[in-house]
Structure formats: structure tokens, C-alpha cells
């Protein structure tokens, strides 16, 4: 993902991801082979347990995309499991304060000169194996490699976005627009048409950029991704597996049942 964002900034297309809410090695392999730069394994709202996360991460990496795991909550042990599975990065929902962001950064990094406060536990064997590295070699590279994304998706998170973005070891801020709209008192699925929500998201993008970090946004389709890319966002997903299944299958079924 880090490389895709760099390439995008150098004039390549958007650093675009897919989003998996369902388990299965074959599904993950199939989705990752459609050409995304990164694929999110959604352990927050998806139907993926710990074993399924490991399988999906391995399948995505094998297909040449960056596996990113969204953990259910900002908890160090969940971040450890996600990174130990071989994920190239993590996404942590509902980060609202600098202190939470600092905890996420500590949990995502091994202790080192650059990250003296890192508390990521050593010894996981799957991450090195997935990347074709020896354990020591993985350990040396991991802090520079893992991409740490926190979601800003509440009014408090927006208010603290500049402080969150400034935390060392946080690489990206990602807008969850439905949760953000909801926290601002709106119906979550109206987010795309509410000026106050769009302004709040834009202020987070500006805060991330000002701190030299990246800014990402949840998107439902290609048109949405292209608009966001033009507006200066660094990385977006394009829909999700369950959305694609529901819309295509539902659409075809409707042609038969209600032509
Ligand atoms: C949101 O829209 O709130 C998200 O986090 C995307 O799943």
C-alpha cells in the first residue's frame, strides 16, 4: 500500500483497494486477482474469525496485493494478531484522541531506536513466512513496512485530527463516512449528501496532509474513487464483496422476478 500511494503521487492511478467482509481463501484470492493495490480484511464488521483472517491475508499476499486488516477495536492484542498474520498494515476503527493513536502506534511497532515505545510482541512466524523472509530479517524491516491507518469517524476524532495525524508511527487517517455522519446526528447512509459531513472529512484530509501523512476515504464504487482521487485523497476502497454480490445477484434476479 505504501508503494501504491507513492506511485499514485508520482502520477499513477489511485491507490485503490477492495474490501472483504466474507471468509475464504478462494474468495480472497479471486478478489485480490482483480487488480487492487490493497485488499482490506474486515474483522470489525465482516464475518471473519481469527483463522479466516490468516487465510485471507495469505491469499491476498499470494496474489500480489497488500493485505490490510481492519481490527474490531483499538486493542493491542488484536493489532498483534493482525500483524502476526502477515498483514502489510492495519486499520483501526474509531480513533478519537492522540492517546489512542499513540497506543495504536506502540502496538504496531517493535521496540527500536526509532520507536523506543514499541510494544509489538516478537516471535510470530507467519508474517515472515508470508513475505518470504527469515524471522530476523522480517523483524528488522517490519517497523518501516507496516502501514498503520486509524479511522477518524466521529466528531471528537475530527476535532482531534491534527493531533492524531502528528503521532509518530501513524501513517494514514481514513474516513468512515457512515459512522462520521451518525456521530454528527445524521442518518449514516445519507453521508454523501450532507455538506457538514463532507466538510468534516475534508478537514481531516487537510490535517493528515499538513502532518505529512496520508488520507483515505471509504468509497462505494469506481466513480466515487475517481472523484476522491481528484480531490486529493491518497487511498480509497472500491465497494466491498458483499455489496458486489448483493447488487449483481439482486439486479439479475429482479430482471427475472419483476421484469
Ligand atoms: C464507515 O462508513 O463508517 C466505515 O467505517 C466504513 O465501513
Amino acid at each position: 500500500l505504501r508503494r501504491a500511494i507513492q506511485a499514485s503521487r508520482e502520477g499513477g492511478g489511485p491507490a485503490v483497494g477492495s474490501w472483504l467482509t466474507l471468509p475464504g481463501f478462494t474468495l480472497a484470492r479471486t478478489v485480490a486477482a482483480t487488480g487492487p493495490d490493497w485488499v482490506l480484511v474486515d474483522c470489525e464488521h465482516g464475518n471473519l474469525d481469527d483463522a479466516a483472517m490468516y487465510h485471507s491475508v495469505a491469499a491476498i499476499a499470494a496474489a500480489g496485493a497488500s493485505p490490510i486488516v481492519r481490527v474490531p477495536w483499538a486493542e493491542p492484542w488484536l493489532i498483534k494478531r493482525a500483524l502476526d498474520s502477515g498483514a502489510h498494515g492495519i486499520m483501526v476503527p474509531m480513533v478519537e484522541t492522540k492517546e489512542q493513536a499513540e497506543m495504536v502506534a506502540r502496538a504496531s511497532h517493535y521496540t527500536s531506536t526509532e520507536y523506543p515505545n514499541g510494544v509489538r510482541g516478537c516471535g510470530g512466524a507467519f508474517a515472515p513466512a508470508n513475505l518470504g523472509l527469515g524471522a530476523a530479517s522480517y523483524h528488522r524491516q517490519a517497523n518501516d513496512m507496516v502501514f498503520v491507518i486509524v479511522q477518524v469517524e466521529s466528531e471528537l476524532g475530527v476535532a482531534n485530527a491534527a493531533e492524531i495525524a502528528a503521532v509518530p508511527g501513524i501513517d494514514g487517517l481514513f474516513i468512515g463516512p457512515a459512522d462520521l455522519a451518525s456521530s454528527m446526528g445524521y442518518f449514516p447512509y445519507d453521508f454523501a449528501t450532507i455538506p457538514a459531513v463532507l466538510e468534516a472529512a475534508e478537514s481531516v484530509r487537510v490535517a493528515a496532509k499538513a502532518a505529512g501523512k496520508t488520507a483515505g476515504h471509504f468509497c462505494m464504487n469506481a466513480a466515487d474513487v475517481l472523484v476522491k482521487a481528484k480531490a486529493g485523497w491518497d487511498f480509497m476502497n472500491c465497494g466491498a464483496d458483499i455489496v458486489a454480490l448483493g447488487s449483481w445477484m439482486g439486479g439479475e434476479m429482479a430482471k427475472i422476478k419483476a421484469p
Side-chain angles (χ1 to χ4, degrees):
L1 175 54
R2 201 185 288 285
R3 273 203 299 269
I5 291 174
Q6 190 54 39
S8 165
R9 286 181 168 171
E10 287 162 7
V16 64
S18 292
W19 195 285
L20 289 176
T21 66
L22 297 168
F25 189 93
T26 309
L27 172 67
R29 187 84 166 81
T30 305
V31 168
T34 61
D37 299 301
W38 55 284
V39 180
L40 186 109
V41 177
D42 190 356
C43 298
E44 184 196 15
H45 289 303
N47 177 18
L48 288 119
D49 60 15
D50 192 71
M53 172 183 76
Y54 270 74
H55 295 154
S56 298
V57 164
I60 294 160
S66 246
I68 307 292
V69 170
R70 177 158 77 167
V71 295
W73 198 245
E75 288 285 350
W77 72 273
L78 293 170
I79 293 171
K80 174 160 58 184
R81 292 297 296 165
L83 291 175
D84 277 2
S85 77
H88 294 184
I90 50 157
M91 183 182 289
V92 181
M94 205 52 86
V95 170
E96 300 189 289
T97 64
K98 174 178 88 146
E99 289 73 20
Q100 278 178 314
E102 284 170 347
M103 183 273 283
V104 167
R106 277 198 304 278
S108 306
H109 294 88
Y110 294 126
T111 187
S112 70
T113 322
E114 203 184 339
Y115 296 101
N117 298 325
V119 293
R120 181 177 171 194
C122 310
F126 293 95
N130 271 347
L131 289 152
L133 297 170
S137 172
Y138 173 77
H139 192 97
R140 282 194 204 95
Q141 298 176 48
N143 281 359
D144 292 333
M145 203 162 55
V146 298
F147 198 79
V148 181
I149 304 161
V150 292
Q151 280 196 270
V152 175
E153 46 183 354
S154 68
E155 268 192 302
L156 181 57
V158 171
N160 290 329
E163 283 192 355
I164 292 170
V167 171
I170 298 298
D171 297 299
L173 273 53
F174 188 88
I175 298 291
D179 275 313
L180 178 56
S182 178
S183 110
M184 294 172 71
Y186 299 104
F187 185 65
Y189 299 101
D190 287 343
F191 62 78
T193 56
I194 302 167
V197 175
L198 300 173
E199 277 164 32
E202 175 60 10
S203 76
V204 173
R205 188 189 72 78
V206 170
K209 294 303 179 96
K213 305 295 175 69
T214 64
H217 202 294
F218 185 85
C219 288
M220 285 301 283
N221 52 46
D224 202 6
V225 169
L226 293 171
V227 167
K228 290 284 183 303
K230 216 167 171 191
W233 294 85
D234 296 300
F235 61 108
M236 285 70 62
N237 65 300
C238 181
D241 53 358
I242 193 78
V243 177
L245 280 171
S247 66
W248 190 85
M249 291 188 149
E252 291 306 292
M253 198 54 72
K255 289 178 200 164
I256 300 160
K257 296 276 190 184

